Amino acid sequence: MRDTRESRLLLVLLIAIAFALITVDIRGGEDSPVDGARRAAATVFGPVENGVAAAVDPIGNAVGAVRDSGERHDRLTVLERENAALKQKLGSDDRNRSGVRQLDKMLKRAGAGQYGIKGAEVIAIGAAQGFSWTVTIDAGGNDGIKRDMTVLNGDGLVGRVTTVGPDTATVLLANDPDFTVGTRLEKTDELGFATGQGDRPLRVQMLNGKAKVKAGDRLVTFGSQAAKPFVPGVPVGRVVRVDPAGGDLTRTVYVRPYVGFTKLDIVGVVVQAPRKDPRDTVLPPKPAGPKPIPTVTVTVTPSGPPADGTDPAAGTE
């Protein structure tokens, strides 16, 4: 398209419409009028994302590279490709081992909380419908995934499902500014609401302005009615800063999430809530403190005078 006045006006109009749709979507929440279009987009683009993820799979590339190399006559090229394929396969083995570790850790967390989960893999980062912190997973409606289900991994709370397609779903991450979850402080049962702040710690508004909170305290999800969008007891994070109490009705603390949102891979969608609140049982054991060093005290008892009655301090003539 040539750079004309009409084309520039069309571009400005399209940008204005895009921002208007984003505003309507945010204000509409779950009843957003564009939710149907978002589901349709998930249906259309979900298989594409799955295909792209499969195309860049290291094992598939390794097999393809070895197969292609057999069709070439240049021996040097063949050796180079075989070497590259071997390196990719080794890298894939490392990734597979990492995936097994993540899955094992997640299953232990789910077992501790008695959560029924559906395992999934992150296949895309970000979403076409806005600037949110989201990921796309390779499980959708055909796998029993529904909107407003809790998503976790081996470390703790990942987020909640917002959009579901037949084979994929979009997850809003817990560090997104539009994400809010009810929290409960370990042992003390003090309640609050955690809100995402991007790459900064979560901001938690404690309901009790006089709540006794200190750095190192841990929080879990409080849970929602009918366990949607959040099941109870999922680890959220650890307190890193506490605002001074100023006599307000609420108190603000800052929490570093357990989950690393920039390196997500294997996740689990909670498709069945626990029968009872697991409370603090899903939290990892606290690290043992340093062992005390035993202290040995030596007491010196002064000796008495010699048996012959002489003074040892006296001089001789």
Side-chain angles (χ1 to χ4, degrees):
M1 181 182 293
R2 290 180 297 176
D3 185 13
T4 63
R5 181 180 179 184
E6 289 78 8
S7 64
R8 289 195 296 269
L9 288 175
L10 179 60
L11 178 61
V12 172
L13 180 61
L14 290 174
I15 293 174
I17 293 173
F19 276 102
L21 288 174
I22 292 172
T23 303
V24 170
D25 185 29
I26 293 174
R27 292 183 177 179
E30 295 185 1
D31 299 325
S32 170
V34 300
D35 188 54
R38 197 163 48 228
R39 286 196 298 268
T43 302
V44 173
F45 293 107
V48 176
E49 290 174 331
N50 262 328
V52 172
V56 298
D57 180 74
I59 296 178
N61 288 345
V63 174
V66 173
R67 182 177 62 249
D68 293 343
S69 67
E71 300 174 357
R72 299 182 182 274
H73 302 290
D74 187 344
R75 183 58 183 167
L76 180 60
T77 303
V78 171
L79 292 175
E80 289 176 350
R81 288 185 174 271
E82 289 178 348
N83 187 39
L86 180 59
K87 289 181 179 179
Q88 288 178 341
K89 188 176 186 303
L90 289 174
S92 176
D93 289 342
D94 291 339
R95 184 178 183 277
N96 288 339
R97 283 193 291 268
S98 174
V100 169
R101 288 194 298 268
Q102 292 180 53
L103 182 60
D104 181 64
K105 191 175 181 181
M106 182 178 69
L107 291 175
K108 288 179 179 178
R109 288 279 182 272
Q114 295 298 297
Y115 307 123
I117 63 171
K118 172 67 179 181
E121 187 174 2
V122 173
I123 58 174
I125 301 174
Q129 63 263 29
F131 303 97
S132 304
W133 287 74
T134 62
V135 295
T136 302
I137 59 176
D138 63 351
N142 293 336
D143 304 291
I145 307 301
K146 298 179 181 179
R147 182 170 179 167
D148 285 336
M149 285 184 167
T150 307
V151 182
L152 51 78
N153 68 1
D155 296 316
L157 180 67
V158 171
R160 65 180 176 89
V161 176
T162 56
T163 307
V164 180
D167 301 304
T168 62
T170 301
V171 178
L172 182 69
L173 301 181
N175 64 334
D176 187 274
D178 289 333
F179 187 98
T180 300
V181 58
T183 62
R184 182 178 58 77
L185 200 62
E186 182 185 12
K187 294 183 179 179
T188 68
D189 291 344
E190 293 286 358
L191 303 181
F193 290 95
T195 302
Q197 296 195 118
D199 54 2
R200 294 180 293 167
L202 304 178
R203 184 175 185 268
V204 181
Q205 202 77 25
M206 306 297 297
L207 300 184
N208 181 4
K210 297 181 180 179
K212 295 182 179 179
V213 191
K214 64 182 183 302
D217 286 348
R218 306 188 296 180
L219 292 90
V220 299
T221 55
F222 177 66
S224 308
Q225 185 176 8
K228 285 189 175 182
F230 302 109
V231 294
V234 180
V236 175
R238 186 184 299 271
V239 175
V240 292
R241 196 178 97 217
V242 180
D243 279 356
D248 297 331
L249 295 178
T250 61
R251 190 172 192 184
T252 303
V253 302
Y254 297 89
V255 173
R256 178 173 292 113
Y258 286 120
V259 171
F261 298 105
T262 59
K263 51 183 180 181
L264 291 171
D265 186 9
I266 305 298
V267 299
V269 182
V270 181
V271 295
Q272 183 176 359
R275 293 183 180 179
K276 63 178 183 178
D277 189 342
R279 299 191 63 80
D280 302 329
T281 59
V282 187
L283 284 166
K286 287 188 174 180
K291 294 183 178 180
I293 301 175
T295 303
V296 179
T297 303
V298 178
T299 303
V300 179
T301 303
S303 58
D308 58 2
T310 58
D311 184 358
T316 57
E317 293 183 0

